[in-house]
Amino acid sequence: MIRDNSRLAFARAKKLMPGGVNSPARAFGGVGGEPIFIARAEAASLFDLDGNRYLDYVLSWGPMILGHAHPKVLAALDAAMRKGTSFGAPTEAESELADLLIAAVPSIEKVRLVNSGTEAAMSAIRLARGCTGRPMIVKFAGNYHGHVDSLLVAAGSSAATLGVPNSPGVTEAVARETLLLEYNDVPSLEAAFDRHGPQIAGVIVEPVVGNMGCVVGKPEFLRALRDLTTRHRALLIFDEVMTGFRVALGGAQARFGVTPDLTTLGKIIGGGLPVGAYGGKAEIMDHVLPAGKVFQAGTLSGNPLATAAGIATLKILRDENPYPRLEQLSARLVAGLHAAAESAAVPHRIGACGSMLTFFFANEDVRDWPTASRSDTAAYAKYFWSLIDRNIYMPCSQFEALFLSTAHTEADIDATISAAREAFV
Ligand SMILES: *Cc1c(COP(=O)(O)O)cnc(C)c1O
């Protein structure tokens, strides 16, 4: 497969942007080699600068659940654009998007729109601290909540100790206010609350993790999160930036019946434009300025284009309920990949929830970051490039989930399984 134009484009980009990209996951660091530059996309297909076509399982890392360039989303954008692209003043479209979010997501009574998932997480954490008057946040290894300083922490010396920075530029003072625990580990959560309970403002968690590969939160873990935060009067924050409108219309909280105090959203709710949101109980959200005193603002928040794409996307999801079909496609892919790997004797585990899943090259059950991190990343890299050569674009890291869209077909799934069968030998 010829990718000369991508190579040239990357050489140019490297001189202009750090690592040649505007977000590190795009640089293919997890699989080696150089990124593929995209010219355009349509439905379930990506087209690169050299005219190669790929079946897309990345979907902009989640947002494009209706596939690329969906005609109704484009029409909504076109109509909105002609009325002006930003006013910095209230619009009815913002209330329409807020209404759709509140109707779908059980925990959300009031919501604030922002511009990214990172911004949503940052704001939710400030709100948790602001309305409890407490400093500490609990997070889990392998969960990602955007590049918020206080959430870029690594483990200290033991499980229930305070975090240390895992990026230069994050200060120790900030990291010390974050407790890092292992995912799906109820005893260490109990120990953390025993030791630090009165200091804990909130717990932020991906109820289904996408960001160490797909790892599903165990029901008893989600229940313990709810019980312990309630008992210690800390806030439970579900980061549903990835799972919202993905694992169910109402996100993981609707799917599993556990209702957090605050929820962060992003990705799908912007229909491919930059949007985030955080919401929750009205009494909590009313601490946000100007109703309350917790500061949070944004020049382009509730932007007409992003709002239009979000509304169009969420209405289609609400009215057409594509979730049962997405689950069937996902189950077909899981079964096919499993059978192909079995017959090639490739050790593996598949983590899946709704239309997000990860094929782990793993010898043991994957339930947290230690088990995920022992996956064979070299085997994943080989699999990734074998699939690229067969025109299938998978996430460029073992530790990312793949996604399905309503534009994927059973024939696409079957072609992917055949390609994987060849890649495994
Ligand atoms: C993508 C993601 C974020 C960050 O969102 P951005 O829009 O990239 O800032 C936060 N949390 C989760 C769970 C995500 O998947």
Side-chain angles (χ1 to χ4, degrees), residues 70-156:
H70 189 283
K72 285 188 181 162
V73 178
L74 293 188
L77 278 168
D78 191 59
M81 180 176 80
R82 283 165 206 291
K83 295 181 197 156
T85 54
S86 188
F87 318 123
T91 59
E92 287 189 299
E94 292 161 82
S95 294
E96 196 176 352
L97 182 53
D99 248 337
L100 288 162
L101 299 177
I102 291 164
V105 183
S107 66
I108 301 186
E109 295 171 4
K110 280 194 180 178
V111 67
R112 175 60 67 82
L113 300 178
V114 294
N115 302 290
S116 68
T118 296
E119 219 185 305
M122 183 184 81
S123 309
I125 278 173
R126 181 179 305 141
L127 176 55
R129 286 175 165 149
C131 75
T132 59
R134 299 174 177 183
M136 289 175 71
I137 297 291
V138 174
K139 75 151 285 196
F140 298 94
N143 285 211
Y144 177 67
H145 309 292
H147 59 95
V148 181
D149 273 16
S150 60
L151 301 177
L152 290 179
V153 298

Side-chain angles (χ1 to χ4, degrees), residues 116-118 144-146 206 211 239 241-242 267:
S116 68
T118 296
Y144 177 67
H145 309 292
E206 288 184 74
N211 289 292
D239 182 346
V241 171
M242 190 180 283
K267 298 199 167 112

Side-chain angles (χ1 to χ4, degrees), residues 22-35:
N22 281 313
S23 190
R26 296 174 200 169
F28 281 21
V31 290
E34 297 196 341

Side-chain angles (χ1 to χ4, degrees), residues 145-375:
H145 309 292
H147 59 95
V148 181
D149 273 16
S150 60
L151 301 177
L152 290 179
V153 298
S157 48
S158 78
T161 58
L162 309 181
V164 297
N166 77 348
S167 164
V170 175
T171 62
E172 276 175 28
V174 165
R176 270 200 301 272
E177 288 180 333
T178 306
L179 276 172
L180 187 78
L181 305 179
E182 294 300 349
Y183 195 69
N184 272 328
D185 180 351
V186 175
S188 73
L189 186 64
E190 287 169 340
F193 271 102
D194 279 346
R195 191 155 159 206
H196 300 287
Q199 297 298 306
I200 297 174
V203 178
I204 187 165
V205 62
E206 288 184 74
V208 175
V209 189
N211 289 292
M212 56 177 154
C214 182
V215 177
V216 183
K218 291 181 180 160
E220 64 267 26
F221 176 64
L222 299 179
R223 270 200 308 275
L225 283 167
R226 183 62 283 178
D227 292 347
L228 285 163
T229 47
T230 303
R231 198 176 328 140
H232 292 268
R233 284 186 275 143
L235 299 188
L236 178 58
I237 307 167
F238 273 10
D239 182 346
E240 299 230 40
V241 171
M242 190 180 283
T243 53
F245 298 86
R246 167 62 65 184
V247 302
L249 190 73
Q253 56 196 271
R255 189 175 176 118
F256 297 117
V258 176
T259 306
D261 301 297
L262 288 173
T263 299
T264 58
L265 296 168
K267 298 199 167 112
I268 288 174
I269 69 159
L273 274 82
V275 184
Y278 65 106
K281 290 188 183 124
E283 71 195 64
I284 298 173
M285 290 305 292
D286 281 338
H287 281 87
V288 178
L289 204 74
K293 292 185 175 157
V294 176
F295 189 85
Q296 185 269 308
T299 302
L300 291 175
S301 294
N303 168 271
L305 289 187
T307 311
I311 292 168
T313 299
L314 298 193
K315 277 189 174 163
I316 293 168
L317 294 174
R318 180 194 65 188
D319 298 342
E320 297 182 6
N321 185 20
Y323 296 99
R325 180 172 169 270
L326 286 170
E327 300 256 339
Q328 280 166 15
L329 288 177
S330 176
R332 190 182 184 98
L333 183 56
V334 168
L337 290 176
H338 179 62
E342 285 276 286
S343 64
V346 172
H348 66 283
R349 295 292 188 281
I350 299 176
C353 185
S355 55
M356 56 189 273
L357 69 96
T358 297
F359 185 96
F360 289 101
F361 287 83
N363 265 318
E364 59 188 318
D365 290 346
V366 177
R367 61 175 185 280
D368 54 15
W369 176 240
T371 49
S373 66
R374 286 195 285 269
S375 300

